[in-house]
Amino acid sequence: MTNTTKNKETQVIGIASGKGGVGKTTFAVNLATYHALKGKRVLIFDADIGLGNIHIALRNKLNGNMVDVLEGRREIQDILIESETGISIISGGNGLDEILALNNDNTNNIIRAFAALEDQFDVMIVDISAGANQSVLSFLSACHHQIVIGTNEPSSVADAYALIKLIHLTMGLSEIIFVPNKVKTAQEGKVLFKKMNTITAKFLGVALKFIGSVSESSDYSLAWNTGQAAVSIGVSTTCYHDFSAIVDELDKLTANHKKNELQFFNSMK
Ligand SMILES: Nc1ncnc2c1ncn2[C@@H]1O[C@H](COP(=O)(O)OP(=O)(O)OP(=O)(O)O)[C@@H](O)[C@H]1O
Ligand SMILES: [Mg+2]
């Protein structure tokens, strides 16, 4: 609990991807753990409704989810669980009922419910479902920073482009971050970023933001298998180095606040 200033507003970072399985949850857990190692109060909202697995990654048992909150069975504080590393987790729900409950009103009510946790966290990381449906776009739009994760596979590049196009068209956002994942070298990360940026600039007029890339490492799956995050292994690892550089860059960015639109911790009615 060092480095924290009381009443400083929560920085909300949304993690999305066009294609599934490209590394969103791995990125979310490591970004959260890196912040926790630095003494920040961190919350992960597992918004991958239906398939949420953050609690499994961090070996926690759930105590209800956001659908219980929406339906009045629980208060949001009651469904907060804490990992061994001190990260708080909220589940959006991981069953069919939750997917069925996810209409536009419910998505907005979920976003509004976070107002009850105002001032309790320095950083909130939102792990969002793959793809670009309405709830994905609403959750992303409710964040202060939007990160799209992608790999160098052609299907990931095509799906990342499709998602960025929808983010741009529906939210009119100009500062979308693209983070290359599973790259062999930092240079490969820069090349993949440039490739995405060239396509989005040419067809959408959108300049993507570069904050670094994440190298491929077996540490991610090794750590996952023991309920940890790779950045906890040690400060001399590639994983720690990559996330340290990414957080340095993220901290330089200005939060994308939208005064007249619903966002996490902005309790518009
Ligand atoms: N940088 C990396 N190096 C090596 N393996 C990685 C890396 N990032 C992610 N992985 C591995 O890729 C697989 C998919 O990762 P993850 O579950 O984080 O993806 P996801 O985008 O959250 O998937 P989903 O769309 O299903 O939620 C996991 O086995 C994970 O360990
Ligand atoms: Mg995931």
Side-chain angles (χ1 to χ4, degrees):
M1 298 284 168
T2 52
N3 293 349
T4 54
T5 323
K6 206 169 173 288
N7 294 333
K8 191 176 159 268
E9 75 179 20
T10 310
Q11 180 192 33
V12 187
I13 305 166
I15 318 289
S17 72
K19 187 181 183 311
V22 296
K24 289 177 300 300
T25 302
T26 305
F27 186 87
V29 166
N30 281 279
L31 186 64
T33 306
Y34 181 86
H35 277 113
L37 290 172
K38 294 286 167 191
K40 303 270 183 179
R41 302 166 301 171
V42 187
L43 171 64
I44 303 183
F45 171 37
D46 193 345
D48 188 355
I49 316 285
L51 296 166
N53 56 352
I54 293 275
H55 62 291
I56 300 170
L58 296 172
R59 300 290 188 275
N60 278 93
K61 276 216 177 79
L62 292 178
N63 182 33
N65 60 52
M66 283 310 290
V67 176
D68 297 310
V69 176
L70 285 186
E71 296 182 352
R73 287 186 293 273
R74 297 261 160 86
E75 295 292 327
I76 193 165
Q77 288 85 352
D78 303 333
I79 66 162
L80 264 178
I81 52 174
E82 204 172 292
S83 77
E84 260 180 38
T85 38
I87 297 167
S88 296
I89 303 163
I90 284 197
S91 166
N94 53 356
L96 190 59
D97 288 351
E98 284 82 2
I99 299 181
L100 294 176
L102 207 66
N103 58 34
N104 213 11
D105 282 349
N106 283 350
T107 306
N108 288 343
N109 286 336
I110 289 176
I111 296 165
R112 284 191 191 97
F114 280 84
L117 302 177
E118 201 167 3
D119 297 334
Q120 292 186 29
F121 297 97
D122 300 303
V123 186
M124 170 160 122
I125 291 157
V126 187
D127 183 12
I128 302 171
S129 320
N133 63 32
Q134 188 52 50
S135 71
V136 165
L137 295 171
S138 298
F139 283 138
L140 260 181
S141 170
C143 296
H144 301 140
H145 300 286
Q146 287 73 22
I147 299 185
V148 174
I149 308 278
T151 66
N152 209 356
E153 298 160 85
S155 56
S156 168
V157 172
D159 292 357
Y161 172 76
L163 173 61
I164 290 164
K165 183 174 174 182
L166 276 168
I167 298 174
H168 174 63
L169 293 179
T170 61
M171 300 179 216
L173 278 183
S174 49
E175 194 156 83
I176 303 166
I177 301 164
F178 177 71
V179 175
N181 187 24
K182 301 191 193 181
V183 295
K184 301 269 186 297
T185 59
Q187 184 53 25
E188 187 190 316
K190 283 191 184 134
V191 172
L192 174 54
F193 176 84
K194 212 167 163 201
K195 178 158 118 188
M196 279 307 308
N197 195 33
T198 305
I199 306 171
T200 58
K202 182 168 175 198
F203 296 106
L204 306 173
V206 171
L208 299 172
K209 190 89 202 158
F210 184 71
I211 59 167
S213 60
V214 181
S215 298
E216 184 160 47
S217 164
S218 55
D219 283 354
Y220 291 106
S221 52
L222 278 175
W224 181 284
N225 291 337
T226 58
Q228 300 207 345
V231 292
S232 302
I233 294 172
V235 296
S236 58
T237 60
T238 322
C239 307
Y240 189 93
H241 178 264
D242 286 349
F243 278 89
S244 163
I246 283 170
V247 170
D248 279 352
E249 289 304 312
L250 253 181
D251 284 346
K252 289 181 199 159
L253 302 181
T254 316
N256 164 34
H257 284 290
K258 300 182 201 155
K259 276 213 174 78
N260 300 315
E261 283 174 46
L262 179 66
Q263 286 191 297
F264 288 106
F265 305 108
N266 123 6
S267 34
M268 279 195 35
K269 295 287 172 282

